[in-house]
Amino acid sequence: MSILVTEGARSRALLILSGLLMVLALVQIGRLSMFMGDASRTDCSLFPSSDWETSHSCVSAYYVAGQVAGQGRSVYDDSNYSLPSAPDEPRKARMLGSFKVDVYEYPPPFLLLPRVLQLLTPEFLNFRRAWFVLNALIVLVAVVVVARSMGKPAGARALLLAPLVFAALPMLSALQKGNIQLVVVALSMLAMLMLERRHYASGGLVLAFATASKLYPGLLIVYLLVRRDWRALAWTAGWGAVLTVITLADVGWVQFQGFFEHVPGLLSGEAFPAFRNPGAMAVNFSLPNIGFKLKVLGIGDLGFGTAKVLGWIYTLVAVWATVAIARRAQGRSVLPLAWLAIIAIATLRSPFLPSAYAAFPFIWLLSLLAANHATRLRVLALTTLGWIAMNIYLPVDWMSPRPLAVICLIPHAVTIAILVWAVRYVLASEKSAERRG
């Protein structure tokens, strides 16, 4: 850890902030680990008084889908996860012990991961424990490795600011629910770092799996295209084909057929039962589906038709931003910022992006931005304020949807501010490199 003693990397204020956040992160994760180890210890949940937080489990969808796929049934059949209900009623989830079963909304190749893990942990509670450890370790490795890749002194500051990520309430909530968003973001960053270091086989495999699991990392392929990194593209495409063949051999064509039929609803949001729940719409950070949040606030009556149009408009904006970043990103400490900014841009295209895991790439992005600046008190103060705003996180069952939507406007606005700051900084890196040259 010699990187931490680099001259100019530290300041008293930075060390104090890092130490306080490290203690907070260790206490929170230690407490959460009790609930993840023993599902009856709801007192150790992030929000013990919230039935939503203690019973909602994203990982339940992966577990059930893995079982259903092995039986040859379509994982996109809602009856696997939900009880019968009227079209305009909130979804009634099936139960897996004390947990409500979530709905599987991912491409077929993602099934490979839960199905492999089920071979080791066939019982759900053990599966949930293993998933929690796996998620936490992958995110930890990614945050540390990416920070160290930035060199001195930015890398040292990034390591000291890493507790910003692990002490954040949205991060802890996503870990508790087991949502794959954290892992996909982390794997995408590790893949880009491996490809940048010309480890094409391993980097291509990781990026192919991330893209085949969540689709939005595909925007990084646009980045590679613009930078004409043909070997990285070839390896990624090759591994994508291999993963597809393995998935076909494992779960059959029925899953791909179901996914192709499911795609239009995934892109528009119509496939997500959350859009029948005003509370879920109140905490949705998706930009194409901002109309639903406005509806919760009593402004307008926009629906899925508008969301589709906004989705394609935003897609063009996201591609344009990616091309601009790919053309200008320069410097060892800037490239991770560029990759993470592209990932953050891509996540906002998702039709349903609840605050529980929407904040993760933006909080990480905030820490890397701060690491790229001198450790002036003003920078740390703004970083701390931004982090506090991103931690305005409330369970959906604590209040009615309208005030919840109003409160969520604060972290939602801060995510956009962080993203704009990051893109401007990356785009300016080309001129900085020219001046240094």
Side-chain angles (χ1 to χ4, degrees):
M1 300 297 287
S2 60
I3 192 173
L4 289 177
V5 297
T6 304
E7 186 67 27
R10 301 178 299 171
S11 70
R12 185 181 297 274
L14 176 57
L15 290 174
I16 291 173
L17 177 64
S18 178
L20 291 174
L21 288 170
M22 178 65 77
V23 171
L24 178 61
L26 290 174
V27 170
Q28 291 277 59
I29 292 175
R31 176 171 165 267
L32 180 59
S33 297
M34 299 292 289
F35 177 53
M36 302 309 294
D38 182 354
S40 68
R41 291 293 307 273
T42 55
D43 58 306
C44 293
S45 165
L46 188 61
F47 295 100
S49 62
S50 168
D51 177 68
W52 168 258
E53 292 289 329
T54 56
S55 64
H56 183 74
S57 172
C58 298
V59 72
S60 64
Y62 317 149
Y63 178 82
V64 171
Q67 290 187 322
V68 168
Q71 297 165 3
R73 296 184 287 125
S74 174
V75 298
Y76 303 101
D77 183 348
D78 188 60
S79 64
N80 296 316
Y81 320 98
S82 309
L83 296 171
S85 62
D88 57 343
E89 289 181 349
R91 169 179 172 262
K92 298 176 182 178
R94 294 187 180 276
M95 299 299 293
L96 198 57
S98 60
F99 295 101
K100 296 176 181 177
V101 178
D102 203 8
V103 179
Y104 183 84
E105 305 284 9
Y106 307 91
F110 173 63
L111 290 166
L112 294 174
L113 180 57
R115 284 182 57 74
V116 168
L117 191 59
Q118 281 178 334
L119 296 177
L120 304 174
T121 54
E123 195 272 328
F124 174 66
L125 292 180
N126 289 331
F127 183 91
R128 174 176 172 267
R129 296 183 189 105
W131 192 269
F132 169 71
V133 173
L134 182 65
N135 280 12
L137 285 177
I138 290 175
V139 173
L140 176 63
V141 168
V143 169
V144 171
V145 170
V146 168
R148 291 181 64 85
S149 75
M150 295 170 69
K152 304 174 183 179
R157 291 195 289 262
L159 282 173
L160 289 170
L161 289 165
L164 284 170
V165 177
F166 294 98
L169 291 179
M171 163 74 177
L172 295 166
S173 179
L175 273 178
Q176 176 173 303
K177 295 177 175 66
N179 193 279
I180 192 61
Q181 177 87 343
L182 305 181
V183 169
V184 170
V185 172
L187 288 179
S188 298
M189 289 294 288
L190 288 172
M192 295 305 293
L193 184 58
M194 286 186 279
L195 293 173
E196 180 67 20
R197 292 177 173 178
R198 300 184 180 181
H199 301 313
Y200 295 112
S202 54
L205 172 59
V206 175
L207 182 58
F209 178 75
T211 303
S213 296
K214 263 286 201 176
L215 298 183
Y216 68 76
L219 208 55
L220 292 170
I221 294 175
V222 175
Y223 170 93
L224 294 172
L225 275 168
V226 175
R227 292 177 81 97
R228 299 182 181 181
D229 197 338
W230 309 123
R231 291 186 65 184
L233 288 165
W235 275 101
T236 302
W239 277 119
V242 170
L243 291 173
T244 300
V245 170
I246 294 174
T247 306
L248 278 169
D250 181 41
V251 299
W253 173 250
V254 64
Q255 309 307 337
F256 286 87
Q257 181 179 359
F259 177 69
F260 294 143
E261 295 171 355
H262 206 58
V263 164
L266 285 177
L267 293 177
S268 67
E270 293 169 281
F272 291 84
F275 285 99
R276 288 184 276 166
N277 182 349
M281 290 188 285
V283 299
N284 186 8
F285 277 36
S286 166
L287 290 185
N289 281 277
I290 193 71
F292 287 92
K293 180 171 283 191
L294 293 175
K295 183 187 293 188
V296 173
L297 292 169
I299 304 172
D301 189 23
L302 301 178
F304 289 112
T306 302
K308 291 176 184 178
V309 174
L310 291 176
W312 287 114
I313 292 173
Y314 181 76
T315 300
L316 294 175
V317 172
V319 172
W320 170 83
T322 301
V323 171
I325 290 171
R327 286 176 173 173
R328 299 189 191 180
Q330 300 284 343
R332 184 178 176 184
S333 66
V334 173
L335 285 177
L337 263 176
W339 306 329
L340 192 52
I342 291 171
I343 294 169
I345 289 169
T347 63
L348 292 174
R349 172 59 179 87
S350 172
F352 183 59
L353 188 66
S355 55
Y357 56 82
F360 169 61
F362 295 92
I363 294 173
W364 192 3
L365 193 58
L366 177 64
S367 72
L368 298 187
L369 277 166
N372 270 279
H373 288 74
T375 54
R376 296 188 302 270
L377 186 59
R378 178 174 175 272
V379 173
L380 289 179
L382 288 173
T383 301
T384 303
L385 288 174
W387 181 81
I388 291 172
M390 294 297 294
N391 274 271
I392 298 176
Y393 173 78
L394 299 170
V396 296
D397 58 353
W398 271 12
M399 62 180 64
S400 59
R402 184 167 294 183
L404 183 62
V406 172
I407 292 171
C408 282
L409 289 175
I410 298 173
H412 199 172
V414 172
T415 61
I416 304 303
I418 292 171
L419 187 55
V420 170
W421 180 19
V423 172
R424 286 170 62 93
Y425 186 84
V426 172
L427 295 183
S429 68
E430 182 184 43
K431 295 181 179 179
S432 299
E434 289 175 356
R435 287 195 296 269
R436 288 194 300 270

